[in-house]
Amino acid sequence: MNPVRRTLLKSIVTVGMLASAISVSLVKPAAALVASWNKNAFSAKTIADAMKEAGYSGAAESGDILLKVPDIAEDGAIVPLEVTSNIPGTTSIAIFAEKNPNPLVADIQFSNGALPYISMHIKMAETSFVRVAVKAGDKIYAQSKEVKVTLGGCGG
Amino acid sequence: MDNEMKMRATMQGDVADVKVLIKHIMETGLRKDPTTKQFIPAHFINQVVASLNGVTVLDMQWGVAVSKNPFFGFKVKGAKPGDKITVNAVDNLGTKFYGETAVA
């Protein structure tokens, strides 16, 4: 047996395995994004339509949704927001900015140990209510809070 | 595109507190170019999925009203130090973004 030939063959096999491992990791991100984007909900022009299209109509007001937003936002381009749902069985939270051209900002689904909590930065076109809706079982709950915007974040 | 995403995950009791920052223009499609008077085409991240050790924990759809260079934070119960958190995102033009971090 030729030891040089052995080593060479081994290294070829290793390179081949590495290459396939790399291609697998590159393919992964695409496979993880399976749900289709809800175009109707995100392009709705009124909060009522947006809530309906996103599956959050018929919401009951609930004090068990904690919505943390600033009373006054100097820059509508970055309004920090934090939502915590203390409603048992919460599976998703949707965020709406009432007077934005398209009120639906985001729809978030929680699973496998994720707590019903989200923190994010949103854009607000003008002073308006931020409304968050929560899905728990087959029930919908909501909570709103007004944010005064000094400088709008959607115009130009 | 790992350099487009910054992530940090730290344990707080038995909950991993995860913070993510993605570099992206998040153009609404509603702004006009001041010189050409034409609308600047929409360009925004619209789907984001976060996983803990390969299992989906957060599945988000976004509209154009998520701020430029999007920031988001979430919490996962039952995570342990060393666990892997990954984030996959895609924008409306099909560009994909990927980031990962270990829970500290």
Side-chain angles (χ1 to χ4, degrees):
Chain A
M1 205 193 314
N2 182 344
V4 175
R5 186 173 172 271
R6 277 299 107 197
T7 319
L8 202 65
L9 276 174
K10 259 187 197 161
S11 63
I12 288 167
V13 170
T14 313
V15 167
M17 278 160 70
L18 268 177
S20 61
I22 289 166
S23 64
V24 163
S25 70
L26 284 174
V27 167
K28 235 183 189 169
L33 300 160
V34 282
S36 62
W37 190 64
N38 192 342
K39 190 174 187 293
N40 288 348
F42 282 101
S43 56
K45 303 255 186 274
T46 66
I47 187 164
D49 285 351
M51 289 184 82
K52 191 176 150 224
E53 291 290 346
Y56 290 90
S57 50
E61 296 302 309
S62 171
D64 290 328
I65 302 168
L66 308 179
L67 170 57
K68 208 170 127 190
V69 283
D71 295 332
I72 298 170
E74 284 194 9
D75 183 0
I78 305 172
V79 181
L81 166 147
E82 262 185 75
V83 189
T84 307
S85 169
N86 289 328
I87 299 166
T90 296
T91 52
S92 70
I93 294 178
I95 301 161
F96 303 85
E98 197 185 7
K99 289 189 183 164
N100 274 10
N102 305 120
L104 179 56
V105 177
D107 191 356
I108 303 119
Q109 312 231 15
F110 305 92
S111 54
N112 303 307
L115 299 184
Y117 160 89
I118 191 78
S119 160
M120 55 195 305
H121 294 167
I122 69 166
K123 293 176 198 166
M124 289 182 70
E126 57 183 294
T127 295
S128 87
F129 277 92
V130 169
R131 189 158 174 79
V132 292
V134 164
K135 213 176 275 180
D138 55 356
K139 297 264 194 339
I140 309 292
Y141 304 90
Q143 178 68 260
S144 304
K145 214 167 169 189
E146 193 183 34
V147 177
K148 287 193 165 60
V149 176
T150 321
L151 181 70
C154 290
Chain B
M1 292 240 187
D2 298 52
N3 57 338
E4 307 282 341
M5 217 182 287
K6 282 185 181 141
M7 294 173 62
R8 199 177 64 200
T10 49
M11 288 306 294
Q12 288 179 357
D14 64 341
V15 172
D17 184 68
V18 188
K19 291 183 164 61
V20 182
L21 198 65
I22 311 174
K23 197 177 164 212
H24 200 282
I25 190 165
M26 296 301 283
E27 190 61 60
T28 61
L30 303 167
R31 296 195 313 140
K32 274 186 180 167
D33 185 310
T35 45
T36 63
K37 311 285 180 210
Q38 297 294 307
F39 281 108
I40 302 166
H43 185 198
F44 61 102
I45 291 175
N46 57 13
Q47 288 191 64
V48 183
V49 172
S51 305
L52 170 70
N53 296 331
V55 178
T56 298
V57 289
L58 202 70
D59 189 340
M60 304 194 278
Q61 292 192 32
W62 288 357
V64 296
V66 173
S67 298
K68 180 179 174 178
N69 297 330
F71 160 83
F72 65 95
F74 62 98
K75 295 172 179 178
V76 191
K77 202 178 164 70
K80 299 179 300 297
D83 281 357
K84 191 170 150 187
I85 307 257
T86 54
V87 171
N88 287 294
V90 65
D91 68 21
N92 64 321
L93 304 182
T95 308
K96 292 180 176 71
F97 302 86
Y98 175 77
E100 63 174 62
T101 192
V103 178

